[in-house]
Amino acid sequence: MKTGIIDLITKNRSYRRFFQDVEVPYDALESMIEAARLSPSGANRQPLKYIICQDGKGKTGREIFDCLVWAAYLKDWDGPVEGERPAAYVVVLGDTAIASNFGIDAGLSIQSLLLGAAEKSLGGCIIQSVKRDELAKVLDVSAGLEILYVIALGKPVERVVIEQLPADGDFKYWRDEQHVHHVPKRALKDLIIAEK
Ligand SMILES: Cc1cc2nc3c(=O)[nH]c(=O)nc-3n(C[C@H](O)[C@H](O)[C@H](O)COP(=O)(O)O)c2cc1C
């Protein structure tokens, strides 16, 4: 059995279907952003800012949802249906008054945030495919802030399993008839390319 950090990282899959009615408490969202705050930052500039939308079902939550593109590989799926949509969102922004590019800060902070979610038996999905101009209007984002990613959050309703990459090397995730989401991961032996 996996323990410790590997267990938590294994639990931290990309979840795209949620119990929409199960609220994510504000404290939980704040503590996820605390995990992001404590993450590494290039030159320690800490240029990231966050917008919380706790009410995924409210007007703003619905407007955020309309700005997102889900699971591009699942061609016959348009994203979560009503009732399985995210219960909350965290929008990650870059403050251009602090930095002109955001390097890997967002990736590191978001992973911390999502591990914080996994620790609370919540889950989420990083969304990069965002209609940014529309979302900036919805959220009334000021000119010096760049929308980087949207993190969809909630209590996952779906099962996500990791599996080996098939023989043909296809890395696309897929869903089976039971709606279980399968994520092929390359084998460790194929990643460690040398021992010198
Ligand atoms: C930088 C980045 C951008 C992503 N953007 C999207 C997105 O726009 N829409 C989406 O449904 N999933 C998105 N994902 C989720 C990936 O599809 C997911 O991480 C991948 O399929 C592997 O699954 P796993 O996170 O469970 O390991 C993104 C992930 C990353 C790291």
Side-chain angles (χ1 to χ4, degrees):
M1 205 191 96
K2 293 172 185 166
T3 54
I5 189 70
I6 297 292
D7 182 42
L8 195 61
I9 292 171
T10 304
K11 252 172 84 178
N12 176 34
R13 304 275 46 88
S14 292
Y15 294 102
R16 298 179 180 85
R17 296 193 294 123
F18 305 92
F19 292 99
Q20 192 173 346
D21 287 332
V22 178
E23 279 185 19
V24 181
Y26 191 87
D27 286 1
L29 292 165
E30 218 178 37
S31 111
M32 290 177 218
I33 295 172
E34 173 68 353
R37 183 180 80 86
L38 297 172
S39 300
S41 171
N44 203 29
R45 283 183 185 273
Q46 305 163 70
L48 302 182
K49 302 283 164 68
Y50 303 89
I51 293 175
I52 290 175
C53 173
Q54 198 205 347
D55 182 7
K57 285 202 300 187
K59 181 176 179 288
T60 306
R62 280 185 279 117
E63 287 174 341
I64 294 174
F65 180 84
D66 289 339
C67 293
L68 308 180
V69 180
W70 297 84
Y73 291 149
L74 304 180
K75 299 292 177 209
D76 54 356
W77 190 66
D78 293 333
V81 294
E82 192 63 48
E84 294 189 345
R85 291 185 177 163
Y89 299 94
V90 170
V91 181
V92 183
L93 307 111
D95 189 334
T96 57
I98 300 176
S100 53
N101 76 76
F102 306 103
I104 63 167
D105 283 27
L108 294 164
S109 296
I110 291 168
Q111 178 72 350
S112 298
L113 184 154
L114 286 170
L115 290 174
E119 190 193 36
K120 296 171 193 15
S121 294
L122 298 168
C125 188
I126 304 168
I127 308 284
Q128 184 168 27
S129 302
V130 177
K131 296 171 195 159
R132 286 183 172 72
D133 292 345
E134 270 177 49
L135 186 59
K137 281 189 204 134
V138 165
L139 299 175
D140 198 17
V141 171
S142 52
L145 292 171
E146 204 178 297
I147 294 173
L148 302 176
Y149 300 94
V150 176
I151 317 302
L153 290 159
K155 187 174 169 51
V157 73
E158 69 181 340
R159 222 183 117 222
V160 177
V161 293
I162 290 177
E163 57 191 47
Q164 285 185 349
L165 224 63
D168 65 5
D170 190 355
F171 49 77
K172 292 189 204 69
Y173 50 77
W174 56 282
R175 296 237 173 113
D176 65 25
E177 300 75 34
Q178 279 73 48
H179 309 291
V180 176
H181 185 89
H182 297 257
V183 183
K185 293 281 183 193
R186 297 185 200 282
L188 195 55
K189 68 173 175 48
D190 296 329
L191 303 185
I192 302 172
I193 56 163
E195 185 195 346
K196 303 212 180 205

